[in-house]
Amino acid sequence: MSELHAETVPFVRGTMLPQASPPAAERGLYRWLRTNLFSGPLNTVLTIVALFVLWWLFQHFYPWIRHSVWNASSMAECRAIFAERWGEGAAGGCFGVIRERWNQFLFGFYPPSEYWRPTSAFCLLFLALAPVLFTESRQMRWIVVAVASVGAFALSMLSGAPAPELVCIAVGVVVWIAVIEYAPRAALVLTLVFPFLAVWLLWGGSIWGPATILGGAVIGVVVWRLLARFGILAVVGGLAAAALWWWFLSGDAAADLQRMLPLSLPRMESRSFGGFLLAITIGVAAITMSLPLGVILALARQSDLPIVKAFAVIFIEFIRGVPLITLLFVASLLLNYFLPPGTNFDIILRVIIMVTLFASAYMAEVIRGGLASLPRGQYEAAGALGLNYWKMQRLIILPQALKVSIPGIVGTFIGVFKDTTLVTFVGLFDPLKQLADTIRATFEWKGAYWEPYIFSGFIFFILCFGMSRYSMHLEQRLKRDHR
Amino acid sequence: MTKTVFLGAVAAAAAVLLSTGAQAAEGDTLRAVKQRGELICGVNPGLVGFAAPDANGNWSGFDISLCRAIAAAVVGDANKVRFVPTTGQTRFTALSSGEVDVLTRNSTASFQRDTELALDFPAVNYYDGQGFMVRKDLGVTSAKELDGATICIQTGTTTELNLADWFRANNIAYQPVNIDSNAEGEQQYLAGACDAYTTDASGLAATRAAFADPENHIILPEIISKEPLAPAVRHGDNNWGDIVRQTLFALIAAEEYGVTSANLEELSKSSTNPEVQRLLGATDNLGGMMGLDAEWAKRAIAAGGNYGEVFAATIGEQTPIGLARGLNALWTQGGLMYATPFR
């Protein structure tokens, strides 16, 4: 074979070329900027304007935040520190007011020796809610339970709970965790019991007061179960039994039990509630009660029974047609004229009732929206299966309707929680205005204007954002269709 | 026609209900307070020098001291008091509805409040008046030069009405900037949203004292209104009104006769002044004439000192607020504080 063509064999590439990177204009930061910020003349102008606004805001607020002072006991001291550190005329945030008065922003005038009661009640709230809120996600449930239990114990200890109470909290929490783990159905019962526990922790007094009221509910349920085969009679019987117990016996029973086994906490005045303790107490109570009430009202409004329907329509339209402040004024002032003199109808209870009624009217309309979104076929199919009204609602209609209404429901929750600041108009110490104004009324903090707002806004944001994130989590989890 | 009859019946029923409620509340405030063992005072939720809680929730201030003195006289203990913070809108309703026993809440006594609102103002505890504060560099030295100025004014108060009256009377124009609270007013004024800030002179002094640069602000000399701040009680329970009035008078008389919290015990034994003897219950039983015991005034004075001591401790010249006695000096020193004789 001649060597002649050895050099003339055409080139054959044995390997692939490595991929070249895209041209400079089509990659990296440059591309991102071009597609997202400068994709056309209009967007370019908007970007420049937005940058300018951001810079302007930053320039305005950053020095004020950078000059923040925490270690000061009066505005005058803050100003002296500003002048010393940043020169004459410098201004900054005087957050000493938060450092010195944070407890009042959180607890109002609740006595400091009893701070452990609201803090543990707040943490136990999450223990009560975890089995309801995180039914499917075991991991999330345990994270919440763990944080809440450790929080309940640690915060109570930090806020100076006496040793016997601490032991009670520790034992109670461990038992509760065991129930959540091994008897999930019983955990739901504990969740229902929690409101009574919370009322006792917050207001104090003998434990047998709330306990005997709870006993009345238990008696009602037992009578209802015993009479279950008599239909509607069972409900009437149960209600009557509970009412009889509450009316005639529970007071004496509580007194007797207290004599046999004295178990009480120092009683707290409702007037001592303030700040976020007040906002969260009213908010949580109104939120938890307005959901079931709203469901009932929404169903009643769709009912075929004319009286029930008329009642629901009148109630909802009346409450929605009246500003919340009006209802609060009625609760706080007008009721006093009609109650016999000397009646002591707790002001926070009155406010909770009004806020709950207000929220439930809105809730009813949100849920009615969910009900209306279900196709007629769902009702007919449920009927065809032979389900009665309540079973149909419980098994077929409400699960779907509530799922659709989640964003609206949580929106109403957040609205209600923020509306609790309106209690300032009936002389209660809401964290945003009344309490801040009151703290400014001591000469040391006169002129501390923005700091309290920033602090309260921060806490409101955490709580509302938390609710909002939870609703998104729930929507993700319940997503079964429309993928 | 039937409708009107029906509405009339409802109205009549409501009126009966209201009046029986009011009847029951009459005449027995003292009994209710003694039975409760605690006095309920409606107070300002926060006014510098007059009423404010500290970090531990203990209230103090000029109005608070009066409330404590009444509690000491009636219940026997200056700490057996519950303070119910009332807003400007809710204060009189809270009093009429019986939620509070007495309002010690820097409320201006006026004709309409005395008559139409069915309140009684037993005696004035602080004579105030409405003034103006402006920045010094505005170059204004008299309120009459404020023609066309923007003025920050708290809505829903008598100051709002006074302002309108005064400017109309002087035939000059102004532009109101409505604000909701003192804190907001200060902020607006400092931010330059208004040329002048108007409220009671005591409030202006406190506000100015708390500024970073008090020397750049002046309070104009004109006082455009009379603001006699007085405790308020419900119309009709005259004995209770007497107790409130006489407690305040006891504090004023104590200053006049030189009775202080320091020499109180000593004077109650050794004073030779018959008026002091009667005041402190050494002779006669003045307290018995209004359903209290003989030592009521002694306890009231012991609670926080006489009127002058209370003034000095809460809003006087030694405090950062630094108010001069002015109209609130004793009548013997050119002021208006004048207690009727104790006999």
Side-chain angles (χ1 to χ4, degrees):
Chain A
M1 184 92 184
S2 119
E3 299 275 316
L4 185 64
H5 295 291
E7 303 297 320
T8 61
V9 170
F11 170 75
V12 177
R13 179 172 275 285
T15 56
M16 286 285 282
L17 264 182
Q19 259 185 9
S21 51
E26 286 299 331
R27 67 181 155 165
L29 185 65
Y30 183 83
R31 176 170 187 272
W32 187 88
L33 284 176
R34 224 189 56 174
T35 49
N36 290 302
L37 299 180
F38 303 100
S39 62
L42 178 65
N43 287 357
T44 307
V45 170
L46 287 178
T47 302
I48 291 171
V49 170
L51 283 177
F52 180 75
V53 169
L54 281 178
W55 170 245
W56 183 80
L57 287 174
F58 176 80
Q59 220 183 6
H60 255 73
F61 291 106
Y62 179 67
W64 192 84
I65 292 165
R66 191 168 56 109
H67 293 179
S68 302
V69 169
W70 285 84
N71 280 318
S73 60
S74 73
M75 281 305 281
E77 201 182 327
C78 270
R79 287 184 188 127
I81 295 174
F82 297 147
E84 184 200 323
R85 284 195 198 155
W86 315 100
E88 206 58 49
C94 185
F95 287 95
V97 63
I98 307 298
R99 193 182 60 96
E100 201 165 87
R101 296 296 190 94
W102 64 271
N103 56 338
Q104 279 180 346
F105 280 108
L106 295 189
F107 299 101
F109 301 119
Y110 211 80
S113 59
E114 309 290 330
Y115 280 172
W116 64 273
R117 285 158 53 175
T119 44
S120 57
F122 181 70
C123 292
L124 293 179
L125 169 69
F126 289 94
L127 218 52
L129 287 179
V132 185
L133 295 188
F134 302 102
T135 43
E136 281 172 28
S137 158
R138 189 183 150 83
Q139 192 195 358
M140 279 301 292
R141 184 164 71 235
W142 281 108
I143 292 174
V144 171
V145 164
V147 172
S149 346
V150 173
F153 187 76
L155 289 178
S156 305
M157 195 159 73
L158 282 179
S159 46
E165 277 82 350
L166 269 181
V167 173
C168 285
I169 291 174
V171 172
V173 163
V174 170
V175 171
W176 201 336
I177 293 176
V179 171
I180 292 175
E181 173 63 30
Y182 297 110
R185 285 185 70 92
L188 294 182
V189 175
L190 280 184
T191 302
L192 287 179
V193 171
F194 173 75
F196 296 91
L197 177 68
V199 165
W200 180 59
L201 277 174
L202 289 178
W203 275 275
S206 160
I207 194 174
W208 301 113
T212 46
I213 290 176
L214 182 63
V218 173
I219 289 174
V221 170
V222 168
V223 170
W224 171 59
R225 280 288 169 87
L226 287 178
L227 298 178
R229 60 205 168 88
F230 296 111
I232 189 74
L233 207 63
V235 179
V236 175
L239 284 178
L244 283 175
W245 166 263
W246 283 327
W247 197 256
F248 292 111
L249 292 170
S250 68
D252 292 339
D256 287 340
L257 283 166
Q258 174 68 10
R259 223 171 293 124
M260 280 189 275
L261 184 62
L263 203 58
S264 64
L265 286 170
R267 191 165 257 303
M268 288 302 130
E269 282 286 337
S270 281
R271 288 279 171 199
S272 64
F273 284 50
F276 282 95
L277 169 59
L278 181 70
I280 293 175
T281 304
I282 297 174
V284 169
I287 283 173
T288 47
M289 290 191 289
S290 67
L291 184 58
L293 268 179
V295 170
I296 290 171
L297 280 171
L299 292 179
R301 194 169 185 167
Q302 299 224 318
S303 166
D304 299 330
L305 308 171
I307 294 177
V308 171
K309 184 178 170 126
F311 173 78
V313 169
I314 291 171
F315 178 87
I316 292 171
E317 294 306 331
F318 174 73
I319 298 272
R320 293 209 313 165
V322 173
L324 178 57
I325 295 184
T326 314
L327 294 178
L328 291 178
F329 271 128
V330 168
S332 144
L333 302 168
L334 207 58
L335 273 185
N336 280 6
Y337 284 109
F338 295 104
L339 295 170
T343 320
N344 193 5
F345 189 178
D346 191 276
I347 179 75
I348 292 187
L349 185 60
R350 285 188 254 170
V351 166
I352 286 178
I353 290 173
M354 284 305 183
V355 176
T356 305
L357 294 182
F358 186 78
S360 57
Y362 280 85
M363 193 63 72
E365 287 300 280
V366 168
I367 292 168
R368 193 168 68 94
L371 290 173
S373 75
L374 290 192
R376 192 81 216 143
Q378 295 289 326
Y379 292 87
E380 286 160 2
L385 286 174
L387 298 178
N388 69 19
Y389 179 78
W390 291 108
K391 277 191 177 151
M392 171 172 85
Q393 296 297 349
R394 190 163 61 86
L395 299 173
I396 310 282
I397 305 300
L398 282 178
Q400 300 182 70
L402 289 177
K403 195 191 86 181
V404 175
S405 339
I406 287 173
I409 291 175
V410 176
T412 312
F413 283 174
I414 292 177
V416 168
F417 182 54
K418 290 189 294 189
D419 279 351
T420 57
T421 52
L422 289 177
V423 298
T424 179
F425 290 104
V426 294
L428 291 175
F429 283 84
D430 79 297
L432 205 56
K433 177 164 190 301
Q434 194 67 80
L435 203 58
D437 272 352
T438 298
I439 287 168
R440 285 186 203 110
T442 36
F443 189 79
E444 289 77 27
W445 297 120
K446 196 168 167 58
Y449 189 70
W450 298 111
E451 295 84 351
Y453 283 130
I454 292 173
F455 179 69
S456 298
F458 179 68
I459 294 186
F460 267 113
F461 178 79
I462 290 177
L463 294 171
C464 294
F465 187 65
M467 282 194 256
S468 161
R469 294 303 297 186
Y470 173 73
S471 109
M472 286 168 78
H473 160 85
L474 201 61
E475 278 173 57
Q476 283 294 321
R477 217 191 62 201
L478 296 180
K479 219 180 203 173
R480 297 259 189 271
D481 46 13
H482 317 302
R483 284 180 204 266
Chain B
M1 180 61 203
T2 43
K3 205 172 196 176
T4 17
V5 170
F6 174 72
L7 285 180
V10 170
V16 167
L17 208 63
L18 286 177
S19 63
T20 48
Q23 284 297 330
E26 264 173 32
D28 55 12
T29 311
L30 175 61
R31 195 164 0 111
V33 172
K34 278 183 166 171
Q35 202 173 6
R36 202 187 304 129
E38 186 181 55
L39 179 71
I40 306 178
C41 290
V43 296
N44 195 309
L47 180 66
V48 176
F50 283 81
D54 67 6
N56 299 318
N58 300 318
W59 289 79
S60 63
F62 187 74
D63 281 336
I64 301 296
S65 302
L66 176 61
C67 172
R68 287 194 191 279
I70 299 170
V74 176
V75 193
D77 186 341
N79 291 318
K80 294 252 169 74
V81 189
R82 195 155 88 223
F83 297 107
V84 174
T86 52
T87 62
Q89 291 88 6
T90 61
R91 53 184 165 177
F92 297 128
T93 335
L95 180 63
S96 325
S97 68
E99 199 186 338
V100 302
D101 300 317
V102 55
L103 267 188
T104 51
R105 194 203 176 280
N106 59 295
S107 302
T108 304
S110 72
F111 182 89
Q112 185 246 355
R113 288 173 179 177
D114 192 22
T115 53
E116 194 186 25
L117 292 187
L119 306 174
D120 275 344
F121 295 93
V124 174
N125 68 335
Y126 188 90
Y127 288 96
D128 213 335
Q130 186 178 345
F132 296 93
M133 177 163 59
V134 293
R135 263 176 297 278
K136 219 175 219 169
D137 54 21
L138 200 62
V140 171
T141 53
S142 156
K144 296 196 172 150
E145 297 165 25
L146 284 175
D147 196 4
T150 49
I151 299 181
C152 280
I153 175 83
Q154 206 167 331
T155 52
T157 60
T158 49
T159 51
E160 195 181 10
L161 309 172
N162 297 332
L163 185 72
D165 285 354
W166 191 82
F167 272 77
R168 198 177 308 122
N170 283 283
N171 206 15
I172 48 180
Y174 73 103
Q175 209 175 352
V177 175
N178 290 335
I179 52 162
D180 175 55
S181 68
N182 209 349
E184 197 191 320
E186 286 167 41
Q187 207 60 28
Q188 295 277 36
Y189 169 74
L190 285 178
C194 46
D195 301 320
Y197 178 40
T198 180
T199 186
D200 289 350
S202 61
L204 284 182
T207 300
R208 182 172 168 270
F211 280 167
D213 54 344
E215 66 282 357
N216 292 338
H217 304 266
I218 54 168
I219 294 175
L220 299 176
E222 282 86 357
I223 296 294
I224 65 165
S225 73
K226 292 185 288 185
E227 305 284 344
L229 307 184
V233 296
R234 284 179 288 274
H235 224 30
D237 190 348
N238 293 2
N239 185 48
W240 181 246
D242 291 346
I243 291 172
V244 172
R245 180 187 308 111
Q246 294 303 334
T247 308
L248 178 55
F249 279 175
L251 300 186
I252 296 170
E255 188 187 6
E256 186 179 340
Y257 302 133
V259 181
T260 66
S261 50
N263 64 12
L264 180 67
E265 283 302 325
E266 189 194 321
L267 282 182
S268 69
K269 292 190 195 77
S270 64
S271 175
T272 52
N273 182 340
E275 183 103 353
V276 173
Q277 288 175 354
R278 284 192 294 270
L279 176 66
L280 299 182
T283 56
D284 295 4
N285 181 3
L286 293 187
M289 297 178 194
M290 50 185 191
L292 302 179
D293 63 351
E295 296 204 317
W296 64 281
K298 195 174 153 188
R299 286 194 305 269
I301 299 163
N306 63 37
Y307 184 83
E309 286 177 274
V310 168
F311 195 102
T314 52
I315 51 180
E317 281 172 333
Q318 304 304 315
T319 65
I321 302 160
L323 292 174
R325 285 293 287 270
L327 286 178
N328 299 294
L330 291 177
W331 64 285
T332 51
Q333 289 156 15
L336 292 174
M337 285 297 155
Y338 188 108
T340 53
F342 279 86
R343 62 171 65 252

